[in-house]
Coordinates of all heavy atoms in Angstrom, one line a residue:
M1 N -2.3 -1.4 13.3 CA -2.0 -2.5 12.4 C -0.6 -3.0 12.9 O 0.3 -2.2 13.1 CB -1.9 -1.9 11.0 CG -1.6 -2.9 10.0 SD -1.8 -2.3 8.2 CE -3.4 -1.7 8.1
D2 N -0.4 -4.3 13.0 CA 0.9 -4.8 13.3 C 1.7 -5.0 12.1 O 1.3 -4.8 11.0 CB 0.7 -6.1 14.2 CG 0.1 -7.3 13.4 OD1 -0.1 -7.1 12.2 OD2 -0.2 -8.3 14.0
Q3 N 3.0 -5.4 12.3 CA 4.0 -5.5 11.2 C 3.5 -6.6 10.2 O 3.5 -6.3 8.9 CB 5.3 -5.9 11.7 CG 6.4 -5.9 10.7 CD 6.7 -4.5 10.1 OE1 6.8 -3.6 10.9 NE2 6.9 -4.4 8.9
K4 N 3.0 -7.7 10.6 CA 2.5 -8.8 9.7 C 1.3 -8.3 8.9 O 1.3 -8.5 7.7 CB 2.2 -10.0 10.5 CG 3.3 -10.8 11.0 CD 3.0 -12.0 11.7 CE 4.1 -12.7 12.3 NZ 3.9 -14.0 13.0
G5 N 0.4 -7.6 9.6 CA -0.8 -7.1 8.8 C -0.4 -6.0 7.8 O -0.9 -6.0 6.7
A6 N 0.6 -5.1 8.2 CA 1.0 -4.1 7.3 C 1.7 -4.7 6.1 O 1.5 -4.3 4.9 CB 2.0 -3.2 8.0
K7 N 2.5 -5.8 6.3 CA 3.1 -6.5 5.1 C 2.1 -7.2 4.2 O 2.2 -7.2 3.0 CB 4.1 -7.5 5.6 CG 5.4 -6.8 6.2 CD 6.4 -7.8 6.5 CE 7.6 -7.1 7.0 NZ 8.9 -7.4 6.3
R8 N 1.0 -7.8 4.8 CA -0.1 -8.4 4.0 C -0.7 -7.3 3.2 O -1.0 -7.5 2.0 CB -1.1 -9.1 4.9 CG -0.6 -10.4 5.5 CD -1.8 -11.2 6.2 NE -2.7 -10.4 7.0 CZ -2.5 -10.3 8.3 NH1 -1.6 -10.9 9.0 NH2 -3.4 -9.6 9.0
L9 N -1.1 -6.2 3.8 CA -1.7 -5.1 3.1 C -0.8 -4.6 1.9 O -1.3 -4.5 0.8 CB -2.0 -3.9 4.0 CG -2.7 -2.7 3.4 CD1 -4.0 -3.1 2.8 CD2 -2.8 -1.6 4.4
G10 N 0.4 -4.4 2.2 CA 1.4 -4.0 1.2 C 1.5 -5.0 0.0 O 1.6 -4.6 -1.1
S11 N 1.5 -6.3 0.4 CA 1.5 -7.3 -0.7 C 0.3 -7.3 -1.6 O 0.4 -7.4 -2.8 CB 1.7 -8.7 0.0 OG 2.9 -8.8 0.6
V12 N -0.9 -7.1 -1.0 CA -2.1 -7.0 -1.7 C -2.1 -5.8 -2.7 O -2.4 -5.9 -3.9 CB -3.3 -7.0 -0.8 CG1 -4.6 -6.6 -1.6 CG2 -3.5 -8.3 -0.1
I13 N -1.7 -4.7 -2.2 CA -1.5 -3.5 -3.0 C -0.6 -3.7 -4.2 O -0.8 -3.3 -5.3 CB -1.2 -2.2 -2.2 CG1 -2.4 -1.9 -1.2 CG2 -0.8 -1.0 -3.0 CD1 -2.1 -0.8 -0.2
R14 N 0.6 -4.3 -3.8 CA 1.6 -4.5 -4.8 C 1.0 -5.5 -6.0 O 1.2 -5.2 -7.1 CB 2.8 -5.1 -4.3 CG 3.9 -5.4 -5.3 CD 5.2 -6.1 -4.7 NE 5.8 -5.3 -3.6 CZ 5.7 -5.7 -2.3 NH1 5.2 -6.9 -2.0 NH2 6.3 -5.0 -1.4
M15 N 0.4 -6.5 -5.5 CA -0.2 -7.5 -6.5 C -1.2 -6.8 -7.4 O -1.1 -7.0 -8.6 CB -0.8 -8.6 -5.8 CG -1.4 -9.7 -6.7 SD -2.3 -11.0 -5.8 CE -3.6 -10.0 -5.1
L16 N -2.1 -6.0 -6.9 CA -3.1 -5.3 -7.6 C -2.5 -4.3 -8.6 O -2.9 -4.2 -9.7 CB -4.1 -4.6 -6.7 CG -5.0 -5.5 -5.9 CD1 -5.8 -4.8 -4.9 CD2 -6.0 -6.3 -6.8
R17 N -1.4 -3.6 -8.1 CA -0.8 -2.7 -8.9 C -0.1 -3.3 -10.1 O -0.2 -2.9 -11.3 CB 0.3 -1.9 -8.1 CG 1.2 -1.0 -9.0 CD 2.3 -0.3 -8.1 NE 3.2 -1.2 -7.4 CZ 4.2 -1.8 -8.0 NH1 4.5 -1.7 -9.4 NH2 5.0 -2.6 -7.4
E18 N 0.6 -4.5 -9.9 CA 1.2 -5.2 -10.9 C 0.2 -5.7 -11.9 O 0.4 -5.8 -13.1 CB 2.1 -6.3 -10.4 CG 3.3 -5.7 -9.6 CD 4.1 -6.8 -8.9 OE1 3.7 -7.9 -8.7 OE2 5.3 -6.4 -8.5
D19 N -0.9 -6.3 -11.4 CA -2.0 -6.7 -12.2 C -2.6 -5.7 -13.2 O -3.0 -6.0 -14.3 CB -3.2 -7.3 -11.4 CG -2.8 -8.7 -10.7 OD1 -1.7 -9.2 -11.1 OD2 -3.6 -9.1 -9.9
C20 N -2.5 -4.4 -12.7 CA -3.0 -3.3 -13.5 C -1.9 -2.8 -14.5 O -2.2 -1.9 -15.3 CB -3.5 -2.1 -12.6 SG -4.9 -2.5 -11.7
G21 N -0.7 -3.3 -14.4 CA 0.4 -2.9 -15.2 C 0.9 -1.5 -14.9 O 1.5 -0.8 -15.8
L22 N 0.8 -1.1 -13.6 CA 1.3 0.2 -13.2 C 2.6 0.1 -12.5 O 2.8 -0.8 -11.7 CB 0.3 0.9 -12.2 CG -1.1 1.1 -12.8 CD1 -2.1 1.6 -11.7 CD2 -1.1 2.1 -14.0
T23 N 3.4 1.1 -12.7 CA 4.7 1.2 -11.9 C 4.3 1.9 -10.6 O 3.2 2.5 -10.4 CB 5.7 2.1 -12.6 OG1 5.2 3.4 -12.7 CG2 6.1 1.5 -13.9
Q24 N 5.3 1.8 -9.6 CA 5.0 2.5 -8.3 C 4.9 4.0 -8.6 O 4.0 4.7 -8.0 CB 6.1 2.2 -7.4 CG 6.1 0.9 -6.8 CD 7.2 0.6 -5.8 OE1 8.3 1.2 -6.0 NE2 7.0 -0.2 -4.9
A25 N 5.6 4.6 -9.5 CA 5.7 6.0 -9.8 C 4.3 6.4 -10.3 O 3.7 7.5 -9.9 CB 6.7 6.4 -10.7
I26 N 3.8 5.6 -11.3 CA 2.5 6.0 -11.9 C 1.3 5.9 -10.9 O 0.5 6.8 -10.7 CB 2.2 5.1 -13.1 CG1 3.2 5.5 -14.2 CG2 0.8 5.3 -13.6 CD1 3.1 4.6 -15.4
L27 N 1.3 4.8 -10.1 CA 0.2 4.7 -9.1 C 0.3 5.8 -8.1 O -0.7 6.4 -7.8 CB 0.3 3.3 -8.4 CG -0.7 3.1 -7.3 CD1 -2.1 3.3 -7.7 CD2 -0.5 1.7 -6.7
A28 N 1.5 6.1 -7.6 CA 1.7 7.2 -6.6 C 1.1 8.5 -7.1 O 0.5 9.2 -6.5 CB 3.1 7.2 -6.2
A29 N 1.6 8.8 -8.4 CA 1.2 10.1 -9.0 C -0.4 10.2 -9.1 O -1.0 11.2 -8.7 CB 1.9 10.3 -10.3
R30 N -1.0 9.1 -9.6 CA -2.4 9.1 -9.8 C -3.1 9.1 -8.4 O -4.3 9.7 -8.3 CB -2.9 7.9 -10.6 CG -2.4 8.0 -12.0 CD -2.9 6.8 -12.8 NE -2.4 6.9 -14.2 CZ -2.5 5.9 -15.1 NH1 -3.2 4.7 -14.7 NH2 -2.0 6.0 -16.3
A31 N -2.5 8.6 -7.4 CA -3.1 8.6 -6.1 C -2.9 9.8 -5.2 O -3.4 10.0 -4.2 CB -2.7 7.3 -5.2
G32 N -1.9 10.7 -5.8 CA -1.6 11.9 -5.1 C -0.7 11.7 -3.9 O -0.7 12.6 -3.0
I33 N 0.2 10.7 -3.9 CA 1.1 10.5 -2.9 C 2.6 10.4 -3.5 O 2.7 10.3 -4.8 CB 0.9 9.2 -2.1 CG1 0.9 8.0 -2.9 CG2 -0.5 9.4 -1.4 CD1 0.8 6.7 -2.2
S34 N 3.6 10.4 -2.7 CA 4.9 10.3 -3.2 C 5.2 8.8 -3.5 O 4.6 7.9 -3.0 CB 6.0 10.8 -2.3 OG 6.1 10.0 -1.1
T35 N 6.1 8.6 -4.5 CA 6.6 7.2 -4.7 C 7.2 6.6 -3.5 O 6.9 5.4 -3.2 CB 7.6 7.2 -5.9 OG1 7.0 7.9 -7.1 CG2 8.1 5.8 -6.2
N36 N 7.9 7.3 -2.7 CA 8.5 6.9 -1.5 C 7.4 6.4 -0.5 O 7.6 5.3 0.1 CB 9.4 8.0 -0.8 CG 10.2 7.4 0.3 OD1 10.8 6.4 0.2 ND2 10.0 8.1 1.5
Q37 N 6.4 7.2 -0.4 CA 5.3 6.7 0.5 C 4.7 5.4 0.0 O 4.4 4.5 0.9 CB 4.2 7.8 0.6 CG 3.1 7.5 1.6 CD 2.1 8.6 1.7 OE1 2.2 9.6 1.0 NE2 1.1 8.4 2.6
L38 N 4.4 5.2 -1.3 CA 3.9 4.0 -1.8 C 4.9 2.9 -1.6 O 4.5 1.7 -1.2 CB 3.5 4.1 -3.3 CG 3.0 2.9 -3.9 CD1 1.7 2.4 -3.2 CD2 2.7 3.1 -5.4
Q39 N 6.2 3.1 -1.8 CA 7.2 2.1 -1.6 C 7.0 1.6 -0.1 O 7.1 0.4 0.2 CB 8.6 2.6 -1.9 CG 8.8 2.8 -3.3 CD 10.1 3.5 -3.6 OE1 10.6 4.2 -2.7 NE2 10.6 3.4 -4.8
N40 N 6.9 2.5 0.8 CA 6.9 2.1 2.2 C 5.6 1.4 2.6 O 5.6 0.3 3.3 CB 6.9 3.4 3.1 CG 8.3 4.0 3.1 OD1 9.3 3.3 2.8 ND2 8.4 5.2 3.4
I41 N 4.5 1.8 1.9 CA 3.2 1.0 2.2 C 3.3 -0.4 1.6 O 2.9 -1.4 2.3 CB 2.0 1.8 1.5 CG1 1.8 3.1 2.2 CG2 0.8 0.9 1.4 CD1 0.8 4.1 1.5
E42 N 3.8 -0.5 0.4 CA 4.0 -1.9 -0.2 C 5.0 -2.8 0.7 O 4.8 -3.9 0.7 CB 4.5 -1.8 -1.6 CG 3.4 -1.3 -2.5 CD 3.8 -1.4 -4.0 OE1 4.9 -1.8 -4.3 OE2 2.9 -1.1 -4.9
A43 N 6.0 -2.1 1.3 CA 6.9 -2.9 2.1 C 6.4 -3.1 3.5 O 7.0 -3.9 4.3 CB 8.2 -2.1 2.2
G44 N 5.3 -2.5 3.8 CA 4.8 -2.6 5.2 C 5.5 -1.9 6.2 O 5.5 -2.2 7.4
K45 N 6.3 -0.8 5.8 CA 7.2 -0.1 6.7 C 6.6 1.4 6.9 O 6.0 1.9 6.0 CB 8.6 0.0 6.2 CG 9.3 -1.3 6.2 CD 10.7 -1.0 5.6 CE 11.6 -2.2 5.7 NZ 12.9 -1.9 5.2
S46 N 7.0 2.0 8.0 CA 6.6 3.3 8.3 C 7.5 4.3 7.6 O 7.2 5.5 7.4 CB 6.5 3.7 9.8 OG 7.7 3.4 10.4
S47 N 8.8 3.8 7.3 CA 9.7 4.7 6.6 C 10.7 3.8 5.9 O 10.6 2.5 6.0 CB 10.6 5.4 7.7 OG 11.5 4.6 8.3
G48 N 11.5 4.4 5.0 CA 12.4 3.6 4.2 C 13.7 3.3 4.9 O 14.6 2.6 4.3
L49 N 13.8 3.6 6.1 CA 15.1 3.3 6.9 C 15.1 1.8 7.0 O 14.2 1.1 7.3 CB 15.1 4.0 8.2 CG 15.0 5.5 8.2 CD1 14.9 6.0 9.7 CD2 16.2 6.0 7.5
K50 N 16.4 1.3 6.8 CA 16.6 -0.2 6.9 C 16.2 -0.7 8.2 O 15.6 -1.8 8.3 CB 18.1 -0.5 6.7 CG 18.4 -2.0 6.6 CD 19.9 -2.3 6.6 CE 20.7 -1.7 5.5 NZ 22.1 -2.2 5.5
D51 N 16.4 0.0 9.3 CA 16.1 -0.6 10.7 C 14.8 -0.1 11.2 O 14.5 -0.4 12.4 CB 17.2 -0.1 11.7 CG 18.6 -0.6 11.3 OD1 18.6 -1.7 10.7 OD2 19.6 0.1 11.7
A52 N 14.0 0.4 10.3 CA 12.6 0.8 10.7 C 11.8 -0.3 11.2 O 11.6 -1.4 10.5 CB 11.9 1.6 9.6
A53 N 11.3 -0.3 12.4 CA 10.5 -1.4 12.9 C 9.0 -1.1 13.0 O 8.2 -2.1 13.1 CB 11.0 -1.7 14.4
D54 N 8.6 0.1 12.8 CA 7.2 0.5 12.9 C 6.5 0.0 11.6 O 7.0 0.3 10.5 CB 7.0 1.9 13.1 CG 7.5 2.4 14.5 OD1 7.5 1.6 15.4 OD2 8.0 3.6 14.6
P55 N 5.3 -0.5 11.7 CA 4.6 -0.9 10.5 C 3.9 0.2 9.8 O 3.7 1.2 10.4 CB 3.5 -1.9 11.1 CG 3.3 -1.4 12.5 CD 4.6 -0.9 13.0
S56 N 3.8 0.1 8.6 CA 3.1 1.1 7.7 C 1.6 1.2 8.3 O 1.0 0.1 8.6 CB 3.0 0.7 6.3 OG 2.2 1.5 5.5
N57 N 1.1 2.4 8.4 CA -0.3 2.6 8.8 C -0.9 3.8 8.0 O -1.0 4.8 8.5 CB -0.3 2.8 10.3 CG -1.7 2.7 10.9 OD1 -2.6 2.3 10.2 ND2 -1.9 3.1 12.1
P58 N -1.1 3.5 6.7 CA -1.6 4.6 5.9 C -2.9 5.1 6.3 O -3.8 4.4 6.9 CB -1.7 4.1 4.5 CG -1.8 2.6 4.7 CD -1.1 2.3 6.0
R59 N -3.2 6.4 6.1 CA -4.5 7.0 6.4 C -5.5 6.4 5.5 O -5.2 5.9 4.4 CB -4.4 8.5 6.1 CG -3.6 9.3 7.0 CD -3.7 10.7 6.6 NE -2.8 11.5 7.6 CZ -2.7 12.8 7.5 NH1 -3.2 13.4 6.5 NH2 -1.9 13.4 8.4
M60 N -6.7 6.3 6.0 CA -7.8 5.7 5.2 C -8.0 6.4 3.9 O -8.3 5.9 2.8 CB -9.1 5.7 6.0 CG -10.3 5.0 5.3 SD -9.9 3.3 4.7 CE -10.0 2.4 6.3
S61 N -7.8 7.8 3.9 CA -8.0 8.6 2.7 C -6.9 8.2 1.7 O -7.2 8.2 0.5 CB -8.0 10.0 3.0 OG -6.7 10.4 3.6
T62 N -5.7 7.9 2.1 CA -4.7 7.5 1.2 C -5.0 6.1 0.6 O -4.8 5.9 -0.6 CB -3.3 7.4 2.0 OG1 -3.0 8.7 2.5 CG2 -2.2 6.9 1.1
L63 N -5.4 5.2 1.5 CA -5.8 3.8 1.0 C -6.9 3.9 0.0 O -6.9 3.2 -1.0 CB -6.2 3.0 2.2 CG -6.6 1.5 1.9 CD1 -5.4 0.8 1.1 CD2 -7.0 0.8 3.1
I64 N -7.9 4.8 0.3 CA -9.0 4.9 -0.7 C -8.6 5.4 -2.0 O -9.0 5.0 -3.1 CB -10.1 5.9 -0.1 CG1 -10.8 5.1 1.1 CG2 -11.2 6.3 -1.1 CD1 -11.7 6.0 1.9
E65 N -7.7 6.4 -2.0 CA -7.1 7.0 -3.3 C -6.4 5.9 -4.0 O -6.5 5.8 -5.3 CB -6.2 8.2 -3.0 CG -6.9 9.4 -2.5 CD -7.9 10.0 -3.6 OE1 -7.6 9.9 -4.8 OE2 -8.9 10.5 -3.2
I66 N -5.6 5.1 -3.4 CA -4.8 4.0 -4.0 C -5.8 3.1 -4.7 O -5.6 2.6 -5.8 CB -3.9 3.4 -3.0 CG1 -2.7 4.3 -2.6 CG2 -3.3 2.0 -3.6 CD1 -1.9 3.8 -1.5
C67 N -6.8 2.7 -3.9 CA -7.8 1.7 -4.3 C -8.6 2.2 -5.5 O -8.9 1.4 -6.4 CB -8.7 1.3 -3.2 SG -7.8 0.3 -2.0
E68 N -8.9 3.4 -5.5 CA -9.7 4.0 -6.6 C -8.8 3.9 -7.9 O -9.4 3.6 -9.0 CB -10.0 5.5 -6.4 CG -11.2 5.6 -5.4 CD -11.6 7.0 -5.1 OE1 -11.0 8.0 -5.6 OE2 -12.5 7.2 -4.3
V69 N -7.5 4.2 -7.9 CA -6.7 4.1 -9.0 C -6.6 2.6 -9.5 O -6.6 2.3 -10.7 CB -5.3 4.6 -8.7 CG1 -4.3 4.4 -9.9 CG2 -5.3 6.1 -8.4
L70 N -6.6 1.7 -8.5 CA -6.5 0.3 -8.8 C -7.9 -0.3 -9.2 O -8.0 -1.5 -9.6 CB -6.0 -0.5 -7.6 CG -4.5 -0.1 -7.3 CD1 -4.1 -0.8 -6.0 CD2 -3.6 -0.5 -8.4
G71 N -8.9 0.4 -9.2 CA -10.3 0.0 -9.6 C -10.9 -1.0 -8.6 O -11.7 -1.9 -9.0
T72 N -10.6 -0.8 -7.3 CA -11.2 -1.6 -6.3 C -11.6 -0.8 -5.1 O -11.4 0.4 -5.2 CB -10.3 -2.8 -5.9 OG1 -10.9 -3.7 -5.1 CG2 -9.0 -2.3 -5.2
S73 N -12.1 -1.4 -4.1 CA -12.5 -0.6 -2.9 C -11.5 -0.9 -1.7 O -10.9 -2.0 -1.7 CB -13.9 -1.1 -2.4 OG -14.0 -2.4 -2.0
A74 N -11.4 0.0 -0.8 CA -10.6 -0.2 0.4 C -11.1 -1.4 1.2 O -10.3 -2.2 1.7 CB -10.6 1.0 1.3
S75 N -12.4 -1.6 1.2 CA -12.9 -2.7 2.0 C -12.5 -4.1 1.3 O -12.1 -5.0 2.0 CB -14.5 -2.7 2.1 OG -15.1 -2.7 0.9
E76 N -12.4 -4.1 0.0 CA -12.0 -5.4 -0.7 C -10.5 -5.6 -0.4 O -10.1 -6.7 -0.1 CB -12.2 -5.2 -2.2 CG -11.7 -6.3 -3.0 CD -12.3 -7.7 -2.7 OE1 -13.5 -7.7 -2.3 OE2 -11.6 -8.7 -3.0
V77 N -9.7 -4.6 -0.5 CA -8.2 -4.7 -0.2 C -8.0 -5.1 1.2 O -7.2 -6.0 1.5 CB -7.5 -3.3 -0.5 CG1 -6.1 -3.4 -0.1 CG2 -7.6 -3.2 -2.0
L78 N -8.7 -4.5 2.2 CA -8.5 -4.9 3.6 C -9.0 -6.3 3.8 O -8.4 -7.0 4.6 CB -9.3 -3.9 4.5 CG -8.7 -2.5 4.5 CD1 -9.7 -1.5 5.2 CD2 -7.3 -2.5 5.3
A79 N -10.1 -6.7 3.2 CA -10.5 -8.1 3.3 C -9.5 -9.1 2.8 O -9.2 -10.1 3.4 CB -11.9 -8.3 2.6
R80 N -8.9 -8.8 1.6 CA -7.9 -9.6 1.0 C -6.6 -9.7 1.9 O -5.9 -10.7 1.9 CB -7.6 -9.1 -0.4 CG -8.7 -9.4 -1.3 CD -8.4 -8.9 -2.7 NE -7.4 -9.7 -3.4 CZ -7.2 -9.6 -4.7 NH1 -7.8 -8.7 -5.4 NH2 -6.3 -10.4 -5.3
A81 N -6.4 -8.7 2.6 CA -5.3 -8.6 3.6 C -5.6 -9.3 5.0 O -4.7 -9.3 5.8 CB -4.7 -7.2 3.8
G82 N -6.8 -9.7 5.1 CA -7.1 -10.4 6.3 C -7.8 -9.5 7.4 O -7.8 -9.9 8.6
Y83 N -8.3 -8.3 7.0 CA -8.9 -7.5 8.0 C -10.4 -7.4 7.8 O -11.0 -7.4 6.8 CB -8.4 -6.0 7.9 CG -7.0 -5.9 8.4 CD1 -5.9 -5.9 7.5 CD2 -6.8 -5.9 9.7 CE1 -4.6 -5.9 8.0 CE2 -5.4 -5.8 10.2 CZ -4.4 -5.8 9.3 OH -3.1 -5.7 9.8

């Protein structure tokens, strides 16, 4: 996944999370990941470092867990992100 794709994916996840009225902390806890990991996914970054250039590339299992909490499928989220 390139940087632009990672940012699109993160934007879709953020939008869905906000539509569900969830904070990052709540979504992360329900999905079984850290809040920091979710922040990085939503930002499209591999790490929280300011100069991090690598795109976020979450495991499919992580994406599936996030999507289950959001009440959607990974395929729907990926399609909305242009994949």
Side-chain angles (χ1 to χ4, degrees):
M1 184 176 301
D2 65 9
Q3 188 69 40
K4 288 181 182 181
K7 287 187 180 232
R8 286 192 315 266
L9 177 63
S11 293
V12 170
I13 291 171
R14 180 182 306 112
M15 181 186 64
L16 292 170
R17 175 182 59 78
E18 290 172 349
D19 288 349
C20 289
L22 300 174
T23 64
Q24 287 179 328
I26 291 172
L27 174 56
R30 290 182 184 173
I33 62 174
S34 70
T35 302
N36 186 53
Q37 185 177 1
L38 180 59
Q39 289 169 340
N40 290 337
I41 291 169
E42 287 188 358
K45 295 180 171 183
S46 61
S47 76
L49 299 174
K50 188 191 301 186
D51 296 335
D54 294 331
S56 173
N57 193 9
R59 292 181 179 177
M60 184 56 74
S61 59
T62 301
L63 182 59
I64 289 169
E65 289 295 327
I66 290 169
C67 292
E68 285 180 358
V69 174
L70 296 173
T72 190
S73 67
S75 60
E76 174 65 24
V77 169
L78 290 168
R80 290 177 74 170
Y83 287 101

